[in-house]
Amino acid sequence: MTIVDLTHVVASGMQVFPGDPDVEITGALSLSADGAQVARLNLGSHTGTHFDAPCHSIEGGRSTSEVGLEELTGEALVLHLPRLEPDAEISWHHLNGQVPETVPRIVLLATGWDSRFGTGEYLKHPVLSPAAAEELWNRGMRVLAVDTLNPDRTLQPGQEFSLPVHELVLGSDGLIVENVRGAAALPSRCRVGFFPLNLASTDGAPVRAVAWV
């Protein structure tokens, strides 16, 4: 098997969700002055490729401390959705031919939108319709992973804030993984793992995302 890295590199000044903390990596100690190099990291819990714990948008939902690694590792169904237009809504008719009656707990939407990461166009990503998300949930999905900034619409000027897919998945005690990189090259079935920083009682955490193909 080959291990495929599905993680965006974390670097100073990288793109983040609008309003999230900027990423800054600076030197804290140096070899010349201190005998060892140590970097200081300033970043939000939803930096780069990361997972959302239920408490991210659900009052009383589980935090990172209550999510086990076994929930974020296993067989995945990769749904390939190329050539979508900016701001397109992914409805059930986009997915139906690729989705069996029962799906594994991890479903990964591969739109190829990660190629726009770091640009303004990345904010105009496709979104999953609540009805399609509900059907995937009813068929067994418990982790929704996307190669976009958000399975819901990322707020643009003049739009009303709304997270219906977050409310469905996290509100049902599921998990969401965002900003996956390179999913379009994966087969329709593979084993994946999303390994988060072991942060105590936070609303999410950056992950090292991998696939075995």
Side-chain angles (χ1 to χ4, degrees), residues 58-134:
I58 303 298
E59 187 70 35
R62 288 189 297 159
S63 73
T64 52
S65 297
E66 299 167 290
V67 175
L69 285 178
E70 69 279 358
E71 298 180 63
L72 289 160
T73 307
E75 182 186 7
L77 173 65
V78 182
L79 300 176
H80 292 276
L81 299 158
R83 297 180 295 280
L84 292 171
E85 295 294 322
D87 297 318
E89 182 176 74
I90 301 166
S91 60
W92 186 248
H93 85 268
H94 290 100
L95 306 177
N96 192 26
Q98 301 184 63
V99 183
E101 285 300 316
T102 301
V103 304
R105 62 179 292 105
I106 301 173
V107 173
L108 173 54
L109 303 186
T111 68
W113 213 258
D114 54 300
S115 66
R116 298 164 171 84
F117 187 79
T119 72
E121 194 175 6
Y122 193 63
L123 301 177
K124 300 177 181 179
H125 54 81
V127 301
L128 184 63
S129 75
E134 183 173 14

Side-chain angles (χ1 to χ4, degrees), residues 155-160:
L155 188 64
Q156 302 292 317
Q159 294 178 340
E160 183 178 350

Side-chain angles (χ1 to χ4, degrees), residues 20-90:
D20 276 13
D22 291 331
V23 178
E24 186 178 14
I25 303 175
T26 57
L29 302 178
S30 69
L31 279 172
S32 59
D34 306 292
Q37 289 200 105
V38 175
R40 178 180 288 110
L41 310 181
N42 181 57
L43 56 123
S45 55
H46 297 262
T47 293
T49 311
H50 67 275
F51 95 99
D52 296 350
C55 72
H56 175 49
S57 61
I58 303 298
E59 187 70 35
R62 288 189 297 159
S63 73
T64 52
S65 297
E66 299 167 290
V67 175
L69 285 178
E70 69 279 358
E71 298 180 63
L72 289 160
T73 307
E75 182 186 7
L77 173 65
V78 182
L79 300 176
H80 292 276
L81 299 158
R83 297 180 295 280
L84 292 171
E85 295 294 322
D87 297 318
E89 182 176 74
I90 301 166

